[in-house]
Amino acid sequence: MVTLVTYLPFYRIHEINEYFMRNVEILMPKTAIVYVDNVFHERQKEIISKVVPNGIEVKLGNWRNRNNTWLTMLKDFHSIGSEVMVVDSDNVVEPVLTEVHKVLSAQAPIYTILDVETWKRNPKHLLIRSREIGDVKLGNDTRPIYAYKVYDDSLGGLFRGGPIFFIGPKQVIAFMKLPDIELINRVEKTVNQIDPWLRNFISDETLLGVIAYLMDIKETLWTIASHHHYHGSTLGKITELFVAIAHHQFAKALYREFHRHEFMRYRIKYSLSMIRNLGNLIK
């Protein structure tokens, strides 16, 4: 049996009852844990205690961004002693995930899940870095299995949109193998060199892609088995510039820590992106 985990900022705690508890009912995990970020006042703790149902373990912090939250979670997972499945707080998994897990957990140290809604929109940005390797038979249904390349070393990867490190679709991510504590600490050191105001401009998919690559995982498996209750906003020109600056700082820190040419290439990509976005601002 897996340990089921979700994480969310305080202002979205309604999603625990709205979505996470439905996942608990579907998956019937060994343990269910919720990480709540941006908690810094006793009154917030009182509200959380009233919202979170009995039987759910709650971990509170004021990490102020997804990446530092993830790094704390990954360290904590070492004390769990079972497979860990992390579900985005605004996702409800399909019941077939229990069968999918049996298949994919036997094939890969990490696998991820895409939501049905994104799949129906034809996710070319994911498929361009994926290769179909088989399928999962689920009664009368069949789901394709893809292998996603977490580091894009192609020439095109330097110029098209999206980070060259990426874990793949991440509505659900399951760990059968964890990064060791030393690796987590070293990556955390690099994240902490990014300006605190910019850390949220780096997606957790990028952080996890970097960690997977440093674990010598070149591909992660994925299929489709959740529903995403999406809410978000479109990036503007200034935001895109901030994204590029944040990635550049991360890449620079990674290269200093690990001295790998892949991180120099990562830095070059976002040097070019900063130049391009500055040019767009002054047009």
Side-chain angles (χ1 to χ4, degrees):
M1 296 177 68
V2 302
T3 294
L4 185 64
V5 178
T6 196
Y7 61 102
L8 68 175
F10 174 77
Y11 71 89
R12 284 167 55 181
I13 57 171
H14 64 279
E15 293 178 351
I16 296 171
N17 280 304
E18 200 168 342
Y19 307 126
F20 186 64
M21 292 311 298
R22 290 159 68 185
N23 293 326
V24 172
E25 292 171 7
I26 291 167
L27 296 173
M28 294 185 290
K30 170 186 173 184
T31 311
I33 307 172
V34 174
Y35 285 76
V36 186
D37 193 8
N38 307 120
V39 178
F40 50 83
H41 194 279
E42 288 301 317
R43 178 60 181 152
Q44 291 176 291
K45 296 178 183 178
E46 293 174 16
I47 294 169
I48 292 167
S49 68
K50 293 175 182 177
V51 169
V52 180
N54 292 333
I56 305 299
E57 185 178 348
V58 182
K59 303 213 175 208
L60 309 178
N62 192 25
W63 302 283
R64 295 179 293 173
N65 67 86
R66 294 181 299 272
N67 292 316
N68 283 103
T69 305
W70 259 106
L71 290 162
T72 298
M73 287 164 50
L74 288 169
K75 290 179 189 177
D76 290 352
F77 293 167
H78 278 269
S79 65
I80 287 174
S82 66
E83 296 168 349
V84 182
M85 184 179 291
V86 183
V87 183
D88 275 6
S89 63
D90 54 3
N91 266 250
V92 176
V93 303
E94 293 191 309
V96 297
L97 183 55
T98 55
E99 293 303 312
V100 167
H101 178 73
K102 292 176 185 176
V103 175
L104 295 189
S105 63
Q107 297 183 29
I110 296 174
Y111 76 80
T112 74
I113 295 295
L114 179 68
D115 58 286
V116 172
E117 293 73 21
T118 300
W119 177 253
K120 289 180 177 178
R121 293 195 297 269
N122 188 16
K124 294 179 180 177
H125 64 294
L126 295 171
L127 294 171
I128 198 170
R129 281 170 63 170
S130 299
R131 59 189 182 93
E132 189 170 354
I133 62 168
D135 53 47
V136 185
K137 300 279 193 300
L138 304 165
N140 295 325
D141 192 10
T142 301
R143 305 287 171 95
I145 300 174
Y146 289 91
Y148 184 87
K149 194 174 184 181
V150 300
Y151 170 59
D152 185 355
D153 58 357
S154 69
L155 181 61
L158 276 177
F159 300 101
R160 61 172 167 260
I164 60 175
F165 287 98
F166 207 74
I167 198 70
K170 191 201 57 63
Q171 306 311 320
V172 179
I173 179 166
F175 294 90
M176 279 58 66
K177 177 183 177 182
L178 293 168
D180 62 46
I181 295 293
E182 181 186 0
L183 175 57
I184 298 169
N185 287 337
R186 292 180 72 187
V187 173
E188 184 173 42
K189 178 181 173 183
T190 68
V191 169
N192 289 341
Q193 292 177 55
I194 305 166
D195 189 296
W197 296 102
L198 296 176
R199 289 178 200 168
N200 261 328
F201 288 110
I202 296 177
S203 71
D204 39 359
E205 289 94 337
T206 291
L207 173 77
L208 293 168
V210 167
I211 290 173
Y213 194 76
L214 289 169
M215 293 170 67
D216 293 322
I217 297 171
K218 301 302 187 289
E219 293 180 319
T220 53
L221 302 189
W222 66 272
T223 190
I224 309 102
S226 83
H227 291 280
H228 189 188
H229 299 266
Y230 180 76
H231 49 272
S233 58
T234 304
L235 296 179
K237 287 184 178 179
I238 293 202
T239 304
E240 289 172 354
L241 177 58
F242 290 160
V243 169
I245 295 170
H247 278 282
H248 187 270
Q249 290 184 4
F250 188 31
K252 182 178 179 181
L254 284 167
Y255 183 75
R256 285 178 173 174
E257 180 66 25
F258 294 99
H259 306 288
R260 296 183 64 155
H261 70 88
E262 296 94 332
F263 298 132
M264 179 57 72
R265 192 168 178 276
Y266 179 22
R267 184 178 177 185
I268 290 169
K269 177 183 174 74
Y270 283 96
S271 295
L272 296 172
S273 181
M274 285 191 296
I275 293 168
R276 183 173 61 254
N277 281 290
L278 280 169
N280 289 338
L281 282 174
I282 62 177
K283 282 182 180 178

